[in-house]
Amino acid sequence: MPNSRYTAIVDGLTAEIRDGHLAPGTRLPTHRDLAQQHGIALATATRVYAQLARAGLVVGEPGRGTFVRDQGGYGGLDGRRIAPASRVADLSFNQPLAEDQAEQLREALRQMAATGDLHSVLTQHSPAGLTSQKAAVATYLLDRGIDVPPDNVVLTAGSQHGLDIALRVLTRPGSIIAVDEITYPGIKLLADDRALELVPFPSDPGGPDLDALAALCSNRRVAAVYTIPTLHNPLGYTMSRQQRGRLAEIARRCDCALIEDGTYAFLEPHSGPTMYALAPERTLHVASLSKNLATGLRFGFNVVPDQYISRTKEAVRASSWGTSSLVTAFVTSWLTDGTVTRLEKHRRSDARERQRIAHDVLSGMNYHASMSSYYGWLRLPDHVRSDHIAHQLADDGILVSTAEAFCVTTHPPNALRLALGTPLLPELPRALHRVRQVVLEAPW
Ligand SMILES: Cc1ncc(COP(=O)(O)O)c(C=O)c1O
């Protein structure tokens, strides 16, 4: 078959998906039917779908067929995400997934339908979770450097919910939270919402300036320090044992709490003691299974000192009554049967592979990232404006975040945060090459 025919079919389907004629979730003709419809060979039909899958437009599900992927995507951490003209690659938000995960969920749903306790998943449980569920999390946490009884675990609907709960427990309107000057944008949203004052201390890819933090905590009444000690998002630093010890000492001396965000810590499991282990009397450890299992499931947990257990449960009740019984049932079974451990192993090698690609494609540029992480920080030359670059890339269907979303001061650095975990692996080099090209060819 002439190549132009194959290209025409790919282009036709691409246009129908992008303009919405083929809605997300639509089941496409089987390979055989597509071949018949267009009078092409079966192998060519297979190539057509493979090409569309590489572009992230369709997904093949073994035994079920080929489906149009949801192009809507995530709403963006800063809520001001630029709508892409067409979707090629999302480098703005990490949603890593292993290939077999949809199939694994299907199998779990099948088993649940056949033999599960459906009455139990239809009913509301205790706001913190059942003891058996919290015990599954507590056992999992042993390998993450946290040794607590199930009672100190409170289930949440993900880390963002967990952070909200921690802030409800530790603050009232006007309270001060100390944060890295570049930090995870979700904390900015929450501080805004709860009328808290975020006071930044300097930090860069080498780590936080703890002298500045110590001075800040001495001069002002800081209710809590928000910290991401392992694989800081977005700067990529991992604090040394000594830095962690110093942070614990500062918190003790100034009598403030620590909110430790461990969402990405599984990617560097031996990175040093958790802040919870170093300062168990004042640390609220917040984490989830969003990046190691799936962002869409919305499952997380807070680990809290005894003094905060009942207030944390109250905060969960006030915000949501508790987690979804269905999701909790699935996730705790995956925690206990080794599925989560297996996926974490996969993620660790996947992140390294993606970082190798990024370091290779962006070599010679001002790119900082830990080889273990799913993100990197790309400093731009002075003459290039990060928002112009982001817009230009969006026109090409590539989403990136500018430093502004992560910045707590009024002078954001001229940088992009690149999230590497969402595009299909074969698509990543092309997207990063385009980033390189757009930055390097930006007009003087
Ligand atoms: C550092 C950090 N904390 C928290 C979250 C929120 O995670 P979740 O999806 O579990 O709410 C994210 C999400 O990207 C993150 O990067």
Side-chain angles (χ1 to χ4, degrees):
M1 189 193 76
N3 224 16
S4 59
R5 187 77 189 288
Y6 157 80
T7 311
I9 299 169
V10 170
D11 287 350
L13 284 167
T14 300
E16 281 193 81
I17 292 170
R18 290 211 165 123
D19 69 16
H21 271 94
L22 287 170
T26 305
R27 190 199 295 256
L28 295 172
T30 62
H31 294 206
R32 196 169 300 283
D33 287 349
L34 186 76
Q36 251 168 23
Q37 274 172 23
H38 293 276
I40 55 177
L42 183 58
T44 310
T46 302
R47 266 179 65 214
V48 167
Y49 280 149
Q51 172 62 32
L52 294 174
R54 275 196 298 276
L57 295 170
V58 305
V59 60
E61 298 198 2
R64 296 188 67 237
T66 304
F67 295 83
V68 175
R69 267 176 74 156
D70 184 355
Q71 302 298 303
Y74 176 73
L77 289 172
D78 62 359
R80 290 179 289 112
R81 200 160 86 155
I82 306 154
S86 59
R87 173 65 66 89
V88 175
D90 189 344
L91 301 177
S92 73
F93 180 64
N94 275 321
Q95 306 210 56
L97 277 178
E99 254 174 36
D100 63 345
Q101 278 193 251
E103 205 37 50
Q104 175 198 331
L105 175 60
R106 191 182 320 287
E107 184 50 36
L109 287 164
R110 237 185 245 124
Q111 269 184 25
M112 168 80 75
T115 57
D117 177 2
L118 297 184
H119 187 262
S120 166
V121 301
L122 287 170
T123 50
Q124 177 78 48
H125 299 300
S126 131
L130 299 172
T131 303
S132 60
Q133 297 165 339
K134 293 187 296 180
V137 174
T139 306
Y140 161 78
L141 283 167
L142 287 174
D143 279 345
R144 304 263 294 263
I146 294 181
D147 185 356
V148 284
D151 267 356
N152 294 74
V153 174
V154 173
L155 304 187
T156 65
S159 291
Q160 185 67 12
H161 183 216
L163 291 173
D164 187 22
I165 298 301
L167 293 175
R168 283 170 191 254
V169 168
L170 297 171
T171 66
R172 54 175 73 119
S175 293
I176 293 175
I177 306 292
V179 293
D180 300 73
E181 63 187 3
I182 307 282
T183 192
Y184 162 63
I187 196 79
K188 290 172 60 181
L189 290 178
L190 290 169
D192 231 28
D193 189 50
R194 310 200 72 75
L196 306 174
E197 187 183 350
L198 289 187
V199 181
F201 52 87
S203 58
D204 61 26
D209 180 341
L210 293 175
D211 290 335
L213 175 65
L216 164 63
C217 293
S218 303
N219 292 335
R220 304 202 54 190
R221 177 75 205 106
V222 171
V225 180
Y226 170 65
T227 176
I228 313 173
T230 301
L231 296 178
H232 180 273
N233 179 13
L235 295 173
Y237 68 72
T238 288
M239 284 166 67
S240 66
R241 173 179 276 272
Q242 194 195 11
Q243 286 173 312
R244 291 168 195 242
R246 174 95 199 280
L247 177 56
E249 179 259 311
I250 295 169
R252 268 196 196 108
R253 186 156 40 83
C254 303
D255 192 23
C256 62
L258 293 171
I259 302 175
E260 175 179 41
D261 187 330
T263 307
Y264 279 103
F266 72 97
L267 288 172
E268 241 179 39
H270 308 297
S271 58
T274 57
M275 294 312 303
Y276 192 89
L278 291 175
E281 79 289 358
R282 64 186 60 250
T283 302
L284 279 71
H285 179 92
V286 175
S288 72
L289 297 187
S290 291
K291 309 299 176 180
N292 26 7
L293 189 57
T295 48
L297 291 174
R298 312 307 309 145
F299 180 89
F301 42 86
N302 284 13
V303 184
V304 298
D306 292 348
Q307 56 168 325
Y308 294 124
I309 294 176
S310 71
R311 271 151 70 196
T312 301
K313 286 183 184 169
E314 279 312 304
V316 170
R317 267 164 52 81
S319 69
S320 66
W321 294 122
T323 56
S324 149
S325 302
L326 182 64
V327 168
T328 306
F330 281 135
V331 171
T332 46
S333 77
W334 288 329
L335 278 171
T336 41
D337 73 5
T339 301
V340 172
T341 309
R342 179 177 65 76
L343 286 171
E344 287 183 348
K345 211 168 148 211
H346 162 269
R347 295 285 200 277
R348 285 194 279 272
S349 65
D350 183 52
R352 281 193 169 272
E353 192 170 352
R354 286 167 189 263
Q355 273 310 345
R356 271 194 292 273
I357 294 170
H359 279 81
D360 184 26
V361 174
L362 304 175
S363 69
M365 299 179 79
N366 203 344
Y367 178 69
H368 297 270
S370 158
M371 287 307 290
S372 315
S373 85
Y374 267 120
Y375 34 82
W377 190 244
L378 181 64
R379 283 263 185 186
L380 300 177
D382 287 345
H383 70 278
V384 171
R385 282 200 41 187
S386 57
D387 53 341
H388 286 178
I389 298 289
H391 270 100
Q392 199 177 333
L393 286 167
D395 285 344
D396 292 348
I398 297 170
L399 297 173
V400 296
S401 305
T402 62
E404 204 183 341
F406 299 82
C407 188
V408 181
T409 68
T410 44
H411 297 294
N414 196 23
L416 301 177
R417 202 284 305 252
L418 302 178
L420 309 178
T422 302
L424 299 171
L425 195 58
E427 282 301 306
L428 187 61
R430 188 158 71 94
L432 290 170
H433 273 294
R434 186 71 190 129
V435 172
R436 179 185 178 92
Q437 190 183 23
V438 167
V439 173
L440 294 184
E441 290 178 2
W444 286 85

